[in-house]
Coordinates of all heavy atoms in Angstrom, one line a residue:
G1 N 0.8 -1.2 0.0 CA 0.0 0.0 0.0 C 0.8 1.2 0.0 O 2.1 1.2 0.1
E2 N 0.2 2.4 -0.1 CA 0.9 3.7 -0.1 C 0.3 4.6 0.9 O -0.9 4.5 1.1 CB 0.8 4.3 -1.5 CG 1.4 3.4 -2.6 CD 1.0 4.1 -4.0 OE1 1.8 4.9 -4.4 OE2 0.0 3.7 -4.6
A3 N 1.1 5.6 1.4 CA 0.6 6.6 2.4 C 0.8 8.0 1.9 O 1.7 8.2 1.1 CB 1.4 6.3 3.7
E4 N 0.0 8.8 2.4 CA 0.1 10.3 2.2 C 0.1 10.7 0.7 O 0.9 11.4 0.3 CB 1.3 10.9 2.9 CG 1.1 10.7 4.4 CD -0.1 11.4 5.0 OE1 -0.4 12.6 4.7 OE2 -0.9 10.7 5.8
L5 N -0.9 10.2 0.0 CA -1.1 10.6 -1.4 C -2.6 10.9 -1.6 O -3.4 10.4 -0.9 CB -0.7 9.5 -2.4 CG -1.5 8.2 -2.5 CD1 -1.2 7.5 -3.8 CD2 -1.3 7.4 -1.4
P6 N -3.0 11.7 -2.6 CA -4.4 12.0 -2.8 C -5.1 10.7 -3.2 O -4.6 9.9 -4.0 CB -4.4 13.0 -3.9 CG -3.1 13.7 -3.9 CD -2.1 12.6 -3.4
V7 N -6.3 10.5 -2.6 CA -7.1 9.3 -3.0 C -8.5 9.8 -3.3 O -8.9 10.8 -2.8 CB -7.1 8.2 -1.9 CG1 -5.8 7.7 -1.6 CG2 -7.8 8.8 -0.6
T8 N -9.1 9.1 -4.3 CA -10.4 9.5 -4.7 C -11.5 8.5 -4.7 O -11.2 7.3 -5.2 CB -10.4 10.0 -6.2 OG1 -9.4 11.1 -6.2 CG2 -11.7 10.6 -6.7
F9 N -12.6 8.7 -4.0 CA -13.8 7.8 -4.0 C -14.9 8.6 -3.6 O -14.8 9.7 -3.0 CB -13.6 6.5 -3.1 CG -13.2 6.8 -1.7 CD1 -14.1 7.1 -0.8 CD2 -11.8 6.8 -1.3 CE1 -13.8 7.4 0.5 CE2 -11.5 7.1 0.0 CZ -12.5 7.3 0.9
G10 N -16.1 8.2 -3.9 CA -17.3 8.9 -3.5 C -17.5 10.2 -4.2 O -18.1 11.2 -3.6
G11 N -16.8 10.4 -5.3 CA -16.8 11.7 -6.0 C -16.0 12.8 -5.5 O -16.1 13.9 -5.9
V12 N -15.1 12.5 -4.5 CA -14.3 13.5 -3.8 C -12.8 13.0 -3.8 O -12.6 11.8 -3.6 CB -14.8 13.7 -2.4 CG1 -13.9 14.6 -1.6 CG2 -16.2 14.4 -2.5
T13 N -11.9 13.9 -4.0 CA -10.5 13.6 -3.7 C -10.0 14.0 -2.3 O -10.3 15.2 -1.9 CB -9.6 14.3 -4.8 OG1 -10.0 13.8 -6.1 CG2 -8.1 14.0 -4.6
F14 N -9.5 13.1 -1.6 CA -9.0 13.4 -0.2 C -7.6 13.7 -0.3 O -6.8 12.8 -0.7 CB -9.3 12.2 0.7 CG -10.8 11.8 0.7 CD1 -11.4 11.0 -0.3 CD2 -11.6 12.2 1.8 CE1 -12.7 10.7 -0.2 CE2 -12.9 11.9 1.8 CZ -13.5 11.1 0.8
V15 N -7.2 14.9 0.1 CA -5.7 15.3 0.0 C -5.2 15.4 1.4 O -5.8 16.0 2.2 CB -5.7 16.7 -0.7 CG1 -4.3 17.2 -0.8 CG2 -6.3 16.6 -2.2
P16 N -4.0 14.7 1.6 CA -3.4 14.9 2.9 C -3.2 16.3 3.4 O -2.8 17.1 2.5 CB -2.1 14.2 2.8 CG -2.3 13.2 1.6 CD -3.3 13.9 0.7
G17 N -3.6 16.7 4.6 CA -3.5 18.1 5.0 C -4.8 18.9 4.9 O -5.0 19.9 5.5
H18 N -5.7 18.4 3.9 CA -7.0 19.1 3.8 C -7.8 18.6 5.0 O -7.3 17.8 5.9 CB -7.7 18.7 2.5 CG -7.1 19.4 1.4 ND1 -7.7 19.5 0.1 CD2 -6.0 20.3 1.2 CE1 -6.9 20.2 -0.7 NE2 -5.9 20.7 -0.1
Y19 N -9.1 19.0 5.1 CA -9.9 18.7 6.3 C -11.2 17.9 6.0 O -11.8 18.2 4.9 CB -10.3 20.0 7.0 CG -9.1 20.6 7.7 CD1 -8.2 21.4 7.0 CD2 -8.8 20.4 9.0 CE1 -7.1 21.9 7.6 CE2 -7.7 20.9 9.6 CZ -6.8 21.7 8.9 OH -5.7 22.2 9.5
L20 N -11.5 17.0 6.9 CA -12.7 16.2 6.7 C -13.6 16.4 7.9 O -13.1 16.4 9.0 CB -12.3 14.7 6.5 CG -13.4 13.7 6.4 CD1 -12.9 12.5 5.6 CD2 -14.0 13.1 7.8
Y21 N -14.9 16.5 7.7 CA -15.9 16.6 8.7 C -16.9 15.6 8.5 O -17.4 15.4 7.3 CB -16.5 18.0 8.8 CG -15.4 19.0 9.0 CD1 -14.8 19.7 7.9 CD2 -14.9 19.3 10.3 CE1 -13.8 20.6 8.2 CE2 -14.0 20.3 10.5 CZ -13.4 21.0 9.5 OH -12.4 21.8 9.7
A22 N -17.4 14.9 9.5 CA -18.4 13.8 9.3 C -19.4 13.8 10.5 O -19.0 14.1 11.6 CB -17.7 12.4 9.2
D23 N -20.6 13.5 10.1 CA -21.7 13.4 11.2 C -22.7 12.5 10.6 O -22.6 11.9 9.5 CB -22.2 14.8 11.7 CG -23.0 15.5 10.7 OD1 -23.2 15.0 9.5 OD2 -23.4 16.6 11.0
E24 N -23.9 12.5 11.3 CA -25.0 11.7 10.9 C -25.5 12.0 9.5 O -26.2 11.2 8.8 CB -26.2 11.8 11.9 CG -25.9 11.4 13.3 CD -25.2 12.4 14.1 OE1 -24.8 13.5 13.6 OE2 -25.0 12.2 15.3
D25 N -25.2 13.2 9.0 CA -25.7 13.6 7.7 C -24.8 13.3 6.5 O -25.2 13.4 5.4 CB -26.0 15.2 7.6 CG -27.3 15.5 8.5 OD1 -28.1 14.6 8.6 OD2 -27.3 16.6 9.0
G26 N -23.5 13.0 6.9 CA -22.6 12.7 5.8 C -21.2 13.1 6.1 O -20.9 13.5 7.1
V27 N -20.4 13.1 5.0 CA -19.0 13.4 5.0 C -18.7 14.6 4.0 O -19.1 14.5 2.9 CB -18.1 12.2 4.7 CG1 -16.6 12.5 4.7 CG2 -18.4 11.1 5.6
I28 N -18.0 15.6 4.5 CA -17.6 16.7 3.6 C -16.1 16.9 3.8 O -15.5 16.6 4.8 CB -18.3 18.0 4.0 CG1 -18.1 18.5 5.3 CG2 -19.8 17.8 3.7 CD1 -18.6 19.9 5.6
V29 N -15.5 17.5 2.7 CA -14.0 17.8 2.7 C -13.8 19.2 2.3 O -14.5 19.8 1.4 CB -13.4 16.8 1.7 CG1 -11.9 17.2 1.5 CG2 -13.6 15.3 2.2
S30 N -12.8 19.8 2.9 CA -12.5 21.3 2.6 C -11.0 21.4 2.5 O -10.2 20.7 3.3 CB -13.1 22.1 3.7 OG -12.5 23.4 3.6
A31 N -10.5 22.3 1.7 CA -9.0 22.6 1.6 C -8.5 23.2 2.9 O -7.3 23.1 3.2 CB -8.7 23.4 0.3

């Protein structure tokens, strides 16, 4: 496997160092 690289699923790219917020309504990502 690989660590600390951008990964994409669910229509969103998750970039190391960006921010993720999650709750009962879902998951969002922000730079």
Side-chain angles (χ1 to χ4, degrees):
E2 299 174 87
E4 295 303 309
L5 72 163
V7 296
T8 303
F9 55 84
V12 170
T13 298
F14 302 83
V15 178
H18 284 191
Y19 290 80
L20 179 150
Y21 301 94
D23 69 2
E24 299 84 354
D25 289 331
V27 178
I28 63 173
V29 174
S30 171

